């Protein structure tokens, strides 16, 4: 089968398509025939050598988001072949989701949404789980105020929608051209990047603004970052936390249900065949992408 990997760190030119053996599921695992796999900033970070070292065998697979069909199961895996699913392919491995087949733990899998195609479904796992788990950290009550940076992006957009559903008064930060989009997610307020504003109970920093975002948090409030181990130093008794997304099929199933209810909006910015993964990396690096770029085997 074909799989997208890197053998060395660097730019989009390091992204390769290789032939490799079809993986076999072990106990508690499922093998998914991939229909679509999203490209995320974490893939860029892997490629650049920011997050993990190259494994001893020299191959590091790319792809965290997958939508497809279960085609083989290991012992005690609670899925049947032929089931349409989405999953988070968490952590480093020689083969990940950007491939023709991927093996994941069954605990990372959820039934696919019925209301969208596989391309859109593939944009759900990583970004919606990151948004939901980030919103868990400040434990905001209904009526609390929240500022979301990068509110037009994939994580930020889901965060605005989830916060709005929870009764939180949410304001989104993005470029001026994105105001209508951010308000369509349910944002009560909108700020242009760099615009001054009052103080909020919490900031969810999906745009990775860092220390500058603390200026929007009230004394003793919450800052939540999305890059593990990379939160800014605390000031004014602000509680600084960062989310490290965890694979959670049960939570993912609840988020998929919200897609089918129209609460969450998967967005696709473009599609590429698997052999053009490097082009997708180049486009993502250029910035300004609204929605996810998706690879199709």
């Amino acid at each position: 089968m074909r799989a997208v990997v890197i053998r060395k760190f660097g730019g989009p030119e390091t992204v390769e398509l290789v032939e490799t053996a079809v993986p076999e599921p072990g106990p508690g695992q499922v093998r998914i025939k991939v229909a679509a796999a999203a490209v995320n900033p974490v893939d860029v970070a892997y490629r650049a050598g920011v997050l993990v070292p190259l494994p001893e065998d020299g191959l590091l697979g790319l792809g965290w988001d997958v939508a497809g069909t279960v085609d083989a199961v290991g012992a005690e895996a609670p899925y049947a072949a032929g089931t349409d699913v989405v999953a988070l392919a968490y952590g480093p491995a020689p083969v990940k989701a950007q491939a023709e087949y991927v093996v994941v733990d069954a605990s990372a899998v959820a039934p696919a949404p019925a209301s969208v195609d596989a391309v859109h479904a593939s944009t759900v796992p990583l970004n919606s789980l990151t948004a939901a788990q980030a919103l868990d950290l400040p434990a905001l009550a209904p009526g609390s105020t929240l500022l979301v940076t990068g509110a037009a992006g994939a994580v930020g957009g889901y965060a605005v929608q989830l916060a709005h559903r929870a009764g939180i008064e949410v304001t989104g930060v993005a470029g001026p051209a994105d105001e209508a989009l951010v308000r369509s997610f349910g944002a009560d307020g909108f700020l242009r990047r760099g615009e001054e504003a009052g103080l909020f109970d919490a900031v969810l920093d999906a745009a990775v603004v860092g220390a500058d975002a603390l200026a929007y948090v009230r004394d003793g409030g919450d800052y939540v970052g999305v890059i593990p181990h990379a939160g800014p130093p605390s000031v004014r008794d602000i509680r600084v936390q960062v989310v490290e997304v965890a694979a959670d099929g049960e939570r993912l199933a609840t988020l998929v249900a919200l897609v089918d209810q129209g609460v969450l909006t998967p967005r696709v910015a473009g599609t590429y065949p698997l052999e053009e993964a490097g082009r997708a990396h180049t486009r993502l690096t250029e910035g300004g992408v609204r929605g996810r770029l998706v690879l199709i085997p």
Side-chain angles (χ1 to χ4, degrees), residues 11 15 34 37-38 40 45 47 80 88 121 131 141 144 148 154 156 164 173 179 199 209 220 233 235 268:
V15 178
V34 178
N40 287 281
R47 189 200 73 215
L88 180 66
S144 300
V148 177
H164 173 73
V173 180
E179 180 172 359
L199 298 178
V209 174
V235 296
V268 174

Side-chain angles (χ1 to χ4, degrees), residues 135-236:
L135 287 170
D136 290 342
L137 296 178
L140 297 174
S144 300
T145 58
L146 171 71
L147 185 74
V148 177
T149 70
V155 172
Y158 283 139
V160 171
Q161 291 181 311
L162 290 169
H164 173 73
R165 181 175 182 271
I168 295 165
E169 185 179 326
V170 57
T171 296
V173 180
D178 291 317
E179 180 172 359
L181 175 66
V182 172
R183 289 191 182 276
S184 77
F185 296 150
D188 301 286
F190 179 83
L191 289 179
R192 298 182 180 189
R193 283 191 291 264
E195 187 177 357
E196 295 184 1
L199 298 178
F200 296 80
D201 294 320
V203 167
L204 197 166
D205 188 16
V208 197
V209 174
D212 288 347
L214 297 176
Y216 293 101
V217 185
R218 64 168 174 80
D219 293 359
D222 288 271
Y223 168 96
V224 179
V226 297
I227 306 297
H229 316 296
S234 175
V235 296
R236 297 183 286 107

Side-chain angles (χ1 to χ4, degrees), residues 3 25 59 83 173 230 254:
L59 289 181
T83 305
V173 180
T254 67

Side-chain angles (χ1 to χ4, degrees), residues 7 10 14 22 25 28-29 31 57 73 75 79 152 196 199 205 221 235 266 280:
R7 303 176 195 265
T14 64
V22 176
Q29 294 183 318
R31 186 173 69 207
D57 63 9
V73 297
Y79 283 92
E196 295 184 1
L199 298 178
D205 188 16
V235 296

Side-chain angles (χ1 to χ4, degrees), residues 3-155:
V4 176
V5 304
I6 58 170
R7 303 176 195 265
K8 60 183 179 180
F9 296 130
E13 73 281 355
T14 64
V15 178
E16 298 183 48
L17 188 66
V18 300
E19 288 287 340
T20 188
V22 176
E24 293 297 330
Q29 294 183 318
V30 301
R31 186 173 69 207
I32 300 171
K33 180 176 174 55
V34 178
V39 182
N40 287 281
V42 67
D43 295 307
V44 174
Y46 265 37
R47 189 200 73 215
V50 173
L51 294 180
V52 295
L54 284 173
E56 291 183 3
D57 63 9
L59 289 181
L60 183 62
L62 299 178
W64 288 56
D65 274 329
V66 60
T69 304
V70 173
D71 91 314
V73 297
E76 300 181 359
Y79 283 92
T83 305
D84 291 334
V85 296
V86 291
L88 180 66
Y90 181 85
V95 174
K96 285 174 59 67
Q98 292 170 16
E100 293 182 304
Y101 295 88
V102 64
V103 167
V104 297
D105 291 340
S107 60
V109 177
S115 58
V116 298
D117 60 19
V119 172
H120 285 79
S122 73
T123 71
V124 173
L126 176 61
N127 295 289
S128 69
L129 281 169
T130 300
Q133 292 171 5
L135 287 170
D136 290 342
L137 296 178
L140 297 174
S144 300
T145 58
L146 171 71
L147 185 74
V148 177
T149 70
V155 172

